[in-house]
Amino acid sequence: MSSPVKTVTPIPPVAKRANRQRPLFLTGVLLGAVAEQVVLFALPLLIFQKTNDVALLGLAYAIEWLPALLAYPFAGLIADRDGGPRLFSVVTAGRSVVLILALAGCLLLSDWQTPILMSCGALLALLLAPVHMAIEKVVPQVATGKDLPKTQGLVQSMEVSAMAVGPALALLGVMFFDKIMLLGVAAAVFMAAACCWLPIPRGPRAAKPGTARETMAELGLGWKLLARSKPLVLLAGLNFSINLVFGTALSANAALVTDVFDGPESAFALLNVSIGVVGLVNLLAIPFLLRFFDVRVIGVVGLAILCACLVVLGFAPSLLIYGPAFVVSMVGVTYFNVYNRTQRIRVIAPEHLGKVMGPFYMINLLAAPLGGLLLAGLGTSLGPQSLIAISAIALSGVAAVLLPLTMRSFHRALNGQTTSSR
């Protein structure tokens, strides 16, 4: 009796292309994030050590993000028209050029170093908008179905893992040359990231309208689609609350570690490296966890961890407690963002993804400059750590109300899609 013939299901051409493109996509994301972490290590330290002013550090953080907010709706529209990959490569190469010019300016005009660095941070943040939009646009191109949450988890974990590689690279660099030269290192890594995405096809693109009125109509459509989506509105509100508190903590981090807790620069670097190492562990853990737990469970656990750690940051008596809490808080961010990134893509039509995600990002990241302004306005009178404590307690209350409402709304929206497709 002959044995039954095993049938092998062929891999669809789309899936084959996605499998080939995914390594280049992820490598570009990782290198871009590493370069960004080198910059985030260097700029706050250079500014704070030059001025020794906590308020100016908060103001610099706010100035970095304010121009970027206005760029996000336009960046989303450009991503829809471009397809994503070419936009990422061009803009990431542009960030490299900005750093090279800033390095030259600081070396030639040392008295103008602080305004040059603040302007450099603002330009880099402005160019971050199209980078984020390009990544959002290309993720569904390289991952579909069950691979979508896994790929979103990998993207998030690589961004966190860069916190190990970036500061470690920066710390290694300052052993051999001045911190200002880290701008050149970051420029080289940005250029490598831009090259990674060059072979990725541009994917589906929206038609290019011919008039300014049509362009403004498309921008308006993105805002309308966002406003009509209850789950996205609730998620944007929740993200805004998280980013406001976490932005305050991030903008104060350099001052807390090196001034309040009197830690050396190496402690500041080690803190960021530890975050990245944990990110590397999550890189392996998240796909494993998704086999056993729904993405909603991972989101709830992540937000609970984040809120608890932020409260600890606000009351930590020493760097020995502050450091581990800061590291674990990034674990919470990573887990929550797997839920955040996965769910929002599922309720947006692919042809409108960039148009909707531009305003969505704009609302979310409005919290970043506000966090910096909070530090600039209240950091001196209250103290940066007390400000974090008050904000963290408020966030815990907001999250307890908004998270259940958000999850229920997404559940209804996704069930409605399933019903209508049958």
Side-chain angles (χ1 to χ4, degrees), residues 29 61 264 368:
V29 171
Y61 193 80

Side-chain angles (χ1 to χ4, degrees), residues 33 63 65 102-103 107 117 137 141 155 175 193 209 214 235 240 249 264 417:
I63 289 173
W65 284 103
L103 175 59
L107 293 176
L117 290 175
K137 188 71 178 178
Q141 181 180 323
V155 170
M175 293 171 63
E214 289 173 327
L235 183 62
F240 176 87
Q417 286 181 358

Side-chain angles (χ1 to χ4, degrees), residues 53-208:
D53 189 342
V54 174
L56 186 61
L57 195 63
L59 183 61
Y61 193 80
I63 289 173
E64 278 186 32
W65 284 103
L66 281 172
L69 293 177
L70 300 176
Y72 269 97
F74 294 94
L77 184 59
I78 294 170
D80 276 344
R81 295 179 184 177
D82 174 80
R86 189 177 66 171
L87 178 64
F88 178 92
S89 295
V90 170
V91 174
T92 303
R95 300 181 88 193
S96 176
V97 173
V98 168
L99 284 169
I100 292 170
L101 293 175
L103 175 59
C106 288
L107 293 176
L108 295 173
L109 304 167
S110 59
D111 291 341
W112 289 79
Q113 179 173 308
T114 298
I116 288 172
L117 290 175
M118 291 175 72
S119 301
C120 174
L123 283 172
L124 291 176
L126 180 68
L127 294 175
L128 184 61
V131 169
H132 277 162
M133 292 298 97
I135 293 172
E136 290 286 342
K137 188 71 178 178
V138 176
V139 166
Q141 181 180 323
V142 299
T144 57
K146 293 181 179 179
D147 286 332
L148 181 60
K150 293 179 183 177
T151 303
Q152 293 286 23
L154 288 172
V155 170
Q156 178 65 28
S157 293
M158 283 191 166
E159 290 176 351
V160 177
S161 300
M163 293 183 177
V165 183
L169 185 62
L171 194 60
L172 182 64
V174 296
M175 293 171 63
F176 299 100
F177 44 77
D178 191 79
K179 282 191 292 294
I180 197 69
M181 299 305 296
L182 293 176
L183 303 184
V185 173
V189 181
F190 270 134
M191 195 61 72
C195 293
C196 286
W197 277 40
L198 289 175
I200 300 177
R202 290 175 68 183
R205 299 185 294 278
K208 297 181 180 180

Side-chain angles (χ1 to χ4, degrees), residues 5 12 24 38 61 76 90 112 121 130 149 157 206 220 231 246 258 269 308 325 332 345 358 370 380 383 390 421:
V5 178
L24 287 171
V38 172
Y61 193 80
V90 170
W112 289 79
S157 293
F246 206 59
T258 60
I345 283 182
L370 289 178
T380 303
I390 295 168
S421 64

